[in-house]
Amino acid sequence: MTAFDLDAVRADFPALTTPDAAGNLPLFLDGPGGGQVPRPVLDAMVEYLGHYNSNLGGFADAGRRTTQLVADARAAAADWLGAASENIVFGPNSTTLMFNLSRAVAATFAPGDNVVVSDLDHFSNVSSWRRAAEDAGCEVRVLPLDADGIDLDYGRLADLVDESTRVVAVTAASNLLGTRPDVARVVARAREVGALVSVDAVHAAVHEQLNFEALDADFLYASAYKLGGPHLGICAAKAEHLSGLRPYKVEPATEESPARWEQGTQSFEALAGFVALVDYWAEFGSGGDRRARLASAYEVIDAHERTLTELFLAELARRPDLRLYGRASVDGRTPTFAFNLTDADGVRDASGLVRWLGERNVALGLGNFYALGAVRRLGVETVLRAGFVHYTSADEVRRFFALVDEWSGSER
Ligand SMILES: Cc1ncc(COP(=O)(O)O)c(C=O)c1O
């Protein structure tokens, strides 16, 4: 597949044609929570489990294939994130990897050091560093949102990130507001003072091609299940950290890097699904090697997602009882939208709406989505969140607004 044929794309997802008991087809607006899984990924996982299930180090066919699979998965992750295989660490999810890596980094902290986290981040990249810093007796500083409550307040970088800063933790895209902050600017400030940078690319990696090496971050995290893969966390880390830091690991487990960071037995079926996912994604693009095809795939998919963003923002703007948080423009954002129901008194409880939609098999989120800093800054406890991915159609966006109108009408 080189052109983006949405009907063909959607035909690859069994979940999109699986109705609920009442016969309602699903409307997945919860993309930022995790994507549905295309057939090639499902097939690869079933094939591995059904025919080649093994542990590492086996000499027979299944064992040899499993060893090869790990190498293939590292190569796929390297292509996906713009790193080398030696940079790639796998784990059950990004949060677990963040806690593991941050503890090993914190073993090098001294009293008087500080870490800087951001108000735009999912709390995986906040709590992991906060807890590590607290245990080491270090200060935790917070890079706030700007006056609009949309992007980071870059003006604060100079005073918050100083000679005693050991780590700056920042997101590459907000899973709540969709904001894509200027990560390069944060990395540049960290480099001036010799601080490490931990980039949470879990949401960003669904919508843009990352380049770990060019970004010059120390740690970068992504989760395959957000893109339609299995539950699998991936960290790209500088090789010097993976060999220089001391992992919390079982003594007889390998000391070879990067495998020394992978505690216990990995989910090899997830690795099989992940390799298939990266190959699936690359097929949307064209070009020489897989990394080049992935780059062009992201462009093709971005063009589609931009049309969905335009449509969503236009429809939302026509409804004064829906208040958007975050950028009201197509640029500088992902197709993820935080909003709330409002009336003359302010923000209204939206739980009735999400339940009503849920009964019609529409998955719309309501919560803080672990982006606590941003939610607090917005002065609310919860937001509604709709997020699109490559298989979302314009018809689905229209159907969503028609349902919201129907619910509003029934409320009056
Ligand atoms: C931006 C962001 N960071 C981190 C995470 C946590 O990732 P995982 O579920 O792989 O631990 C999520 C999950 O929702 C996320 O959206």
Side-chain angles (χ1 to χ4, degrees), residues 243-263:
S243 56
L245 292 167
R246 187 166 174 228
Y248 287 84
K249 64 178 275 294
V250 179
E251 194 181 327
T254 184
E255 270 300 346
E256 257 178 54
S257 193
R260 68 203 284 259
W261 293 91
E262 292 165 350
Q263 284 102 335

Side-chain angles (χ1 to χ4, degrees), residues 32 93-96 98 122 124 171 173 175 200 202-203 223 225-226:
N93 50 59
S94 286
T95 306
T96 307
M98 287 175 189
H122 182 288
S124 290
T171 189
N175 65 311
D200 177 348
V202 172
H203 183 56
S223 295
Y225 75 94
K226 300 289 188 186

Side-chain angles (χ1 to χ4, degrees), residues 119-324:
D119 258 348
L120 197 58
D121 271 78
H122 182 288
F123 260 40
S124 290
N125 202 26
V126 175
S127 301
S128 50
W129 291 109
R130 180 178 284 283
R131 288 298 305 275
E134 283 169 2
D135 288 352
C138 297
E139 187 192 348
V140 180
R141 300 175 176 175
V142 181
L143 181 59
L145 294 190
D146 58 16
D148 299 329
I150 293 178
D151 205 339
L152 294 170
D153 186 352
Y154 301 100
R156 296 295 311 281
L157 274 175
D159 67 286
L160 289 173
V161 180
D162 62 18
E163 303 297 327
S164 301
T165 303
R166 302 297 311 282
V167 175
V168 182
V170 68
T171 189
S174 161
N175 65 311
L176 189 89
L177 301 172
T179 308
R180 288 171 159 156
D182 187 349
V183 181
R185 194 163 165 185
V186 178
V187 175
R189 176 59 189 155
R191 289 288 164 257
E192 281 172 7
V193 298
L196 304 181
V197 185
S198 167
V199 176
D200 177 348
V202 172
H203 183 56
V206 182
H207 304 288
E208 68 180 271
Q209 187 177 48
L210 290 149
N211 193 335
F212 171 71
E213 270 160 26
L215 191 59
D216 192 27
D218 294 278
F219 308 100
L220 181 142
Y221 296 89
S223 295
Y225 75 94
K226 300 289 188 186
L227 200 70
H231 290 97
L232 174 73
I234 301 164
C235 174
K238 284 196 170 163
E240 69 208 64
H241 303 318
L242 295 180
S243 56
L245 292 167
R246 187 166 174 228
Y248 287 84
K249 64 178 275 294
V250 179
E251 194 181 327
T254 184
E255 270 300 346
E256 257 178 54
S257 193
R260 68 203 284 259
W261 293 91
E262 292 165 350
Q263 284 102 335
T265 306
Q266 298 297 300
S267 168
F268 301 118
E269 63 273 27
L271 296 185
F274 172 67
V275 174
L277 172 73
V278 173
D279 287 336
Y280 161 84
W281 204 257
E283 275 185 38
F284 291 116
S286 53
D289 59 14
R290 183 167 56 185
R291 173 96 181 138
R293 290 199 302 283
L294 285 167
S296 113
Y298 273 103
E299 280 174 25
V300 168
I301 288 165
D302 182 59
H304 169 62
E305 290 180 350
R306 278 172 167 263
T307 64
L308 299 177
T309 296
E310 261 168 34
L311 176 63
F312 183 90
L313 290 173
E315 291 288 336
L316 190 121
R318 289 175 43 211
R319 293 167 175 83
D321 52 342
L322 298 181
R323 177 190 299 168
L324 179 77

